[in-house]
Amino acid sequence: MSIASDALREEVRERYARSALAVTEGAGGCGCGSDLCCGADDPAGFGEALYTAEQRGELPEAAALASLGCGNPTTVAELREGEVVLDLGSGGGIDVILSAKRVGPTGLAFGLDMTEEMLALARANAAAAGIANAIFLKGVIEAVPLPAHSVDVVISNCVVNLSVDKPAALAEIARVLKPGGRIGISDVVAEDHLRPEQRAERGSYVGCIAGALSRSEYEEGLAAVGLEDVSVDFTHRVADGMHGAIVKARKPINHLEA
Ligand SMILES: C[S@@+](CC[C@H](N)C(=O)[O-])C[C@H]1O[C@@H](n2cnc3c(N)ncnc32)[C@H](O)[C@@H]1O
């Protein structure tokens, strides 16, 4: 990675560490209205409001407060009992907790995050929710610390846009999925006509806007790592020409490793 990419990743890590500490100290999520984190440029379309009242009722208050996503990937992924789920950029643990409940005691939910403060918050939230089948791992989504073919479902909520090496992150998704495995990802996605500099005019990188892929870039990136049945569906507007989106794809049974 370049020095510029290293610096950008460190800026992301530092901002989300502050966000986790704000929740831990009882100050609420990302300090919306500041430039702290995802949704800070325009909080509508981000956070706990994207979950049903029933789901919020299943969560400790701090987990809901820490929600910084732009969708609700657990409903998209249609999780089943016994499955192994991996949440890329698990933050305060909201989607890991909901996933662990869906897959039940015979299943397992992994959360992966690079920010120590977020991992501490997520572990505390999972313990408060009485979750025994969740494991939180420290690492980056561009080098997932899990073996190949070990996961049934990869979910993620507003994190791929923050990656400084998106081809590597998408390749890791394909690597860890079992043949026949699937993804259900929520992310910010730009309309195809918006050039990267136009995306950057609409919001910051740490605010989950400037780093967003376009719909075609997402589709082509997932196809390039060998996934099929790719779809990118816009769900709600988050900025001019930019949307919360549901991204789905499947790993073929006879997938050829890159
Ligand atoms: C916008 S928040 C979303 C958190 C969570 N998914 C949610 O819905 O509340 C982004 C999270 O991804 C983590 N993150 C960002 N880039 C990452 C990377 N390259 N590898 C691992 N974690 C990353 C941050 O530390 C932060 O916890």
Side-chain angles (χ1 to χ4, degrees), residues 16 38 67-69 89 91 113-115 118 139-142 157-159:
Y16 286 95
C38 194
S67 171
L68 297 170
D113 207 287
M114 67 178 178
T115 305
M118 276 295 184
V140 293
I141 67 171
E142 298 84 0
N157 198 347
C158 235
V159 180

Side-chain angles (χ1 to χ4, degrees), residues 9 12-17 19-20 37-39 46-47 51 63-64 66-71 73 87-95 112-116 118-119 138-143 156-165 169 206-208:
R9 181 186 274 169
V12 170
R13 194 204 58 73
E14 195 263 329
R15 296 297 172 97
Y16 286 95
S19 172
C37 55
C38 194
F46 293 89
Y51 293 81
S67 171
L68 297 170
C70 46
D87 181 16
L88 298 176
S90 43
I94 183 168
D95 294 310
L112 173 67
D113 207 287
M114 67 178 178
T115 305
E116 200 68 69
M118 276 295 184
L119 290 164
K138 184 171 182 190
V140 293
I141 67 171
E142 298 84 0
S156 185
N157 198 347
C158 235
V159 180
V160 174
N161 71 80
L162 292 169
S163 171
V164 293
D165 186 350
V206 293
C208 296

Side-chain angles (χ1 to χ4, degrees), residues 3-241:
I3 292 172
S5 297
D6 277 344
L8 190 52
R9 181 186 274 169
E10 177 53 21
E11 187 185 348
V12 170
R13 194 204 58 73
E14 195 263 329
R15 296 297 172 97
Y16 286 95
R18 281 161 59 195
S19 172
L21 289 176
V23 173
T24 307
E25 289 160 7
C30 80
C32 289
S34 71
D35 65 345
L36 260 176
C37 55
C38 194
D41 297 304
D42 179 2
F46 293 89
E48 65 170 305
L50 298 167
Y51 293 81
T52 63
E54 188 188 352
Q55 286 178 315
R56 289 198 299 259
E58 293 180 45
L59 294 162
E61 195 187 354
L65 271 179
S67 171
L68 297 170
C70 46
N72 188 341
T74 53
T75 56
V76 174
E78 293 168 19
L79 302 176
R80 296 188 280 265
E81 290 238 341
E83 288 189 316
V84 178
V85 184
L86 167 65
D87 181 16
L88 298 176
S90 43
I94 183 168
D95 294 310
V96 174
I97 293 171
L98 292 171
S99 297
K101 291 187 175 213
R102 295 295 171 278
V103 300
T106 58
L108 186 58
F110 288 104
L112 173 67
D113 207 287
M114 67 178 178
T115 305
E116 200 68 69
E117 293 82 351
M118 276 295 184
L119 290 164
L121 178 61
R123 289 181 182 122
N125 284 335
I131 299 294
N133 58 334
I135 298 174
F136 291 94
L137 302 168
K138 184 171 182 190
V140 293
I141 67 171
E142 298 84 0
V144 176
L146 285 175
H149 308 163
S150 57
V151 171
D152 294 294
V153 188
V154 173
I155 63 169
S156 185
N157 198 347
C158 235
V159 180
V160 174
N161 71 80
L162 292 169
S163 171
V164 293
D165 186 350
K166 293 172 178 65
L170 299 183
E172 282 295 85
I173 291 172
R175 183 184 67 81
V176 298
L177 276 177
K178 297 176 187 174
R182 62 195 188 281
I183 70 169
I185 288 177
S186 298
D187 206 0
V188 172
V189 179
E191 292 173 16
D192 284 336
H193 63 89
L194 286 185
R195 296 187 307 277
E197 57 274 22
Q198 293 175 302
R199 300 171 210 171
E201 286 165 5
R202 284 156 173 75
S204 65
Y205 197 93
V206 293
C208 296
I209 299 291
L213 293 169
S214 72
R215 192 202 305 249
S216 298
E217 289 165 353
Y218 233 125
E219 289 169 345
E220 288 162 13
L222 289 168
V225 297
L227 301 191
E228 61 182 20
D229 299 335
V230 176
S231 63
V232 179
D233 294 318
F234 294 157
T235 52
H236 57 284
R237 179 191 179 281
V238 296
D240 182 23

